[in-house]
Amino acid sequence: MRTIYPITKSSILMACLLLFTCTNEPVEVENELVLDSEIEQDDGLSSVPLEESLDFFKSLNTTRVGLTTNSFNLNIDLNSLEQVPISNTDAKLNIAKATTKFNNIETSVLQINIDGQVQTVLFNVIPKDAPQSRTERNAISGYNFTGNIVITNISGIVLNNYAYNSGNLLGEINLNSYNPDPVPCWGIGCGIDLEEVVITAPTVSPYYYAYTNHYLISNVYQWNRSLNNYSTMGTAYANYYRQLAIDEFEENIDETNLKPCLKNILKVLKNIQNGPGNMVAKFSGNFPGYNWVTKSGSLAGQTASTNSPSTYNANSGIITTFDTQAWTNATDLSWARTILHESIHAFLASYYKINRPNWIATYPQMVQDWGSIQNWNGVHHEEIARSLVSAVALALEDYGKMMGYNLSAQFYEDMAWGGLQNTSTFKALSASDQKRILDTIATELTGSDTNSNIKTQKGRNAGC
Amino acid sequence: MKNSNSKLIILVSMIIGIGCSSIKNKLIPTDNKGGYKITIENNLNIDPTEIHFVGKVFDVSNREPIANAELVIGCLKIKTNLNGEYSFKIIKSDTEITYIKGISVGYKTIETIFLNLKNNNFVKIDFYLTEDDRPFINCEGIN
């Protein structure tokens, strides 16, 4: 059990107010501005001390909440209680695993203080066609999750119920907010099988998003205050575990046969905010669900090559080869960009192989492109040029800052076009933009521009 | 005379030798391991002004049907259903020879030979597509 004593913004704010109250010096305008800014950022969220949660959960275990009315048999695993960081706030969420009378449901207890009130909900993951007895808590650890995520109160009364199919949010089951708990009594809280719940048309109100895999609105994973605190706690929970999955993906990237110079770059990429895992997750709206094997080797003039989807299997993963010996003048920025670029190929290739129907449904434009391009390389590059140049640029900028570079956003954006020079999106750029971009890429890769004029590189030699 | 017999024997031996050589100067198949099975016939039960096409698209490696595969004939595009099946008909036209392409994302495209439809109105083609195994390559416009 981890113990974290968070210093919330509210505390800082209070301390600042006290400090200014005691001083004889006039408060400067600049300080007032800082205060105003902090007041605006106060989100009304604060952590519940773990000891407090522990006592509360103990009492729940003892009293068996709802035993007389719903026989929910909630039993919280006190040893699993932990306090986890969530996005967009300093407050932390207390989470503990729990069991109920339903063996095929993975339940967790979530607790946080919202606007001065301790809120406690249960987060129930119910895979479709789950066996009656489950011992592993892995239902949401795959991006193909199909089933329901049901948020209930501690008596098991359903507050929100989201239906998923292959990782996609189908919608929220309409619980009719005009009938407060416990009447009508829905779903597991009443011991009614979920199949018996009538599913109405999916609700797509932004207030009720728990998860979506659309890259444009994937930020709904973030902690955004909404009219529905229960839903928000659920998204915070999902976000936390999503981040764990991303971290795990990055940690498991196989770099056994990668040269040390690239290992060093990959190590930094794993530690930045927008590293390969997060970049792919933002694009796909979910966390990467594949094994990526990186290695050094000889290629025929390319900087890197990723195997086709047809070669992927869960054991061997998807393999990317980097040819560092052919490009000895390349900078770390050049290789960092190439690694990011290939991570997208690896994701899209694996995702296709793992779930072709879902891939086709998710990327209709690539399916359409296949009709004319008819090869993976071109189709992927069109998609990356269309949708991911900015994401690669952002990730590369994160890398650059981590390495102490002070370079313009334009430079990183130009670098992000590496490998995409044959795409229709690139060709639609003005001739001068194309020239500048190609010169930037060439310089970082070789030390010369496209006219073979020696140029000063912005990155440092990768030492490969 | 003896000398000319020897030359003749050498010449015949050379011809036989070349004939038995393992070097075969014939066309090498392309990288596409897919293929198709075709039946073309004249069906009296079909409206003589129409030509009917039916068939199925499979993955050649496991014989599983491929849903949403695309059949292209001229400007016409038809998709297979979830069972990999397709069917469509066209009006007989002055263009009596044509060909069909079987396309599906992730698979190499198969293109039939020219089909002579002058005296036929029923075409059944089953496509067997092979996965595209070409790797992604990162060329940066330098070489």
Side-chain angles (χ1 to χ4, degrees), chain A residues 301-308 310 337-338 341-342 345 352-353 356 370 374 376-377 380 419 421 441-442, chain B residues 66-70 79 101 103-109 131-143:
Chain A
Q302 309 96 294
T303 50
S305 176
T306 296
N307 286 357
S308 77
S310 65
R337 186 275 329 284
T338 301
H341 177 105
E342 294 304 315
H345 282 310
Y352 169 87
K353 192 63 178 178
R356 185 175 188 268
W370 186 275
Q374 293 176 22
W376 276 126
N377 209 43
H380 274 204
Q421 67 277 0
I441 292 166
Chain B
I66 301 175
N68 288 313
E70 196 170 67
K79 282 193 184 295
K101 283 196 286 188
I103 303 171
S104 187
V105 63
Y107 290 87
K108 292 179 178 173
T109 298
E131 280 191 283
D132 188 348
D133 53 1
R134 292 168 289 187
F136 303 93
I137 56 172
N138 196 48
C139 305
E140 304 198 14
I142 310 301
N143 43 10

Side-chain angles (χ1 to χ4, degrees), chain A residues 147-450:
Chain A
N148 287 64
I149 294 179
V150 181
I151 298 170
T152 72
N153 67 13
I154 52 177
S155 297
I157 304 300
V158 177
L159 306 169
N160 297 95
N161 186 347
Y162 301 98
Y164 289 79
N165 183 28
S166 299
N168 292 308
L169 175 66
L170 297 178
E172 185 187 6
I173 296 171
N174 189 347
L175 299 174
N176 192 353
S177 59
Y178 295 103
N179 291 292
D181 302 337
V183 179
C185 189
W186 293 87
I188 56 176
C190 310
I192 300 169
D193 288 340
L194 278 174
E195 285 75 10
E196 296 176 19
V197 177
V198 176
I199 299 179
T200 59
T203 304
V204 289
S205 161
Y207 292 124
Y208 296 112
Y209 270 129
Y211 162 72
T212 174
N213 78 344
H214 194 287
Y215 70 93
L216 288 177
I217 47 177
S218 59
N219 61 359
V220 295
Y221 257 130
Q222 306 298 307
W223 180 287
N224 293 320
R225 289 304 304 274
S226 75
L227 299 178
N228 187 321
N229 288 324
Y230 314 115
S231 170
T232 307
M233 289 173 75
T235 58
Y237 171 91
N239 187 45
Y240 169 68
Y241 281 99
R242 171 177 173 267
Q243 190 58 49
L244 283 189
I246 290 168
D247 293 345
E248 188 181 357
F249 158 74
E250 291 185 339
E251 190 62 33
N252 289 336
I253 295 173
D254 186 340
E255 53 191 50
T256 309
N257 295 313
L258 199 61
K259 279 190 171 182
C261 55
L262 292 189
K263 275 186 185 176
N264 292 337
I265 294 169
L266 185 55
K267 187 178 178 183
V268 177
L269 287 172
K270 288 178 181 179
N271 286 319
I272 61 175
Q273 179 67 32
N274 295 297
N278 273 299
M279 185 181 67
V280 165
K282 275 185 185 173
F283 167 63
S284 66
N286 214 321
F287 45 83
Y290 64 99
N291 300 320
W292 191 24
V293 179
T294 59
K295 66 188 185 81
S296 295
S298 296
L299 299 170
Q302 309 96 294
T303 50
S305 176
T306 296
N307 286 357
S308 77
S310 65
T311 65
Y312 178 85
N313 70 59
N315 294 325
S316 64
I318 192 88
I319 300 170
T320 298
T321 305
F322 297 91
D323 189 353
T324 49
Q325 60 198 21
W327 305 97
T328 53
N329 290 330
T331 65
D332 60 336
L333 289 168
S334 182
W335 282 118
R337 186 275 329 284
T338 301
I339 291 171
L340 291 166
H341 177 105
E342 294 304 315
S343 73
I344 299 166
H345 282 310
F347 164 71
L348 287 172
S350 307
Y351 182 17
Y352 169 87
K353 192 63 178 178
I354 292 167
N355 193 336
R356 185 175 188 268
N358 212 31
W359 188 95
I360 287 173
T362 308
Y363 303 111
Q365 186 60 51
M366 276 199 275
V367 175
Q368 187 177 324
D369 285 349
W370 186 275
S372 55
I373 300 172
Q374 293 176 22
N375 72 74
W376 276 126
N377 209 43
V379 167
H380 274 204
H381 282 160
E382 287 291 342
E383 180 65 28
I384 297 171
R386 202 163 38 229
S387 311
L388 278 155
V389 169
S390 294
V392 173
L394 200 62
L396 191 61
E397 188 170 356
D398 274 2
Y399 172 87
K401 285 177 180 170
M402 185 76 94
M403 297 303 292
Y405 295 115
N406 183 20
L407 302 167
S408 68
Q410 178 75 72
F411 169 80
Y412 291 115
E413 189 85 12
D414 289 352
M415 284 292 289
W417 283 100
L420 305 174
Q421 67 277 0
N422 292 322
T423 62
S424 57
T425 312
F426 180 80
K427 288 173 180 171
L429 299 175
S430 70
S432 60
D433 282 351
Q434 290 187 32
K435 179 77 167 67
R436 185 194 68 247
I437 290 168
L438 291 176
D439 280 343
T440 300
I441 292 166
T443 300
E444 292 305 308
L445 182 62
T446 67
S448 303
D449 65 13
T450 52

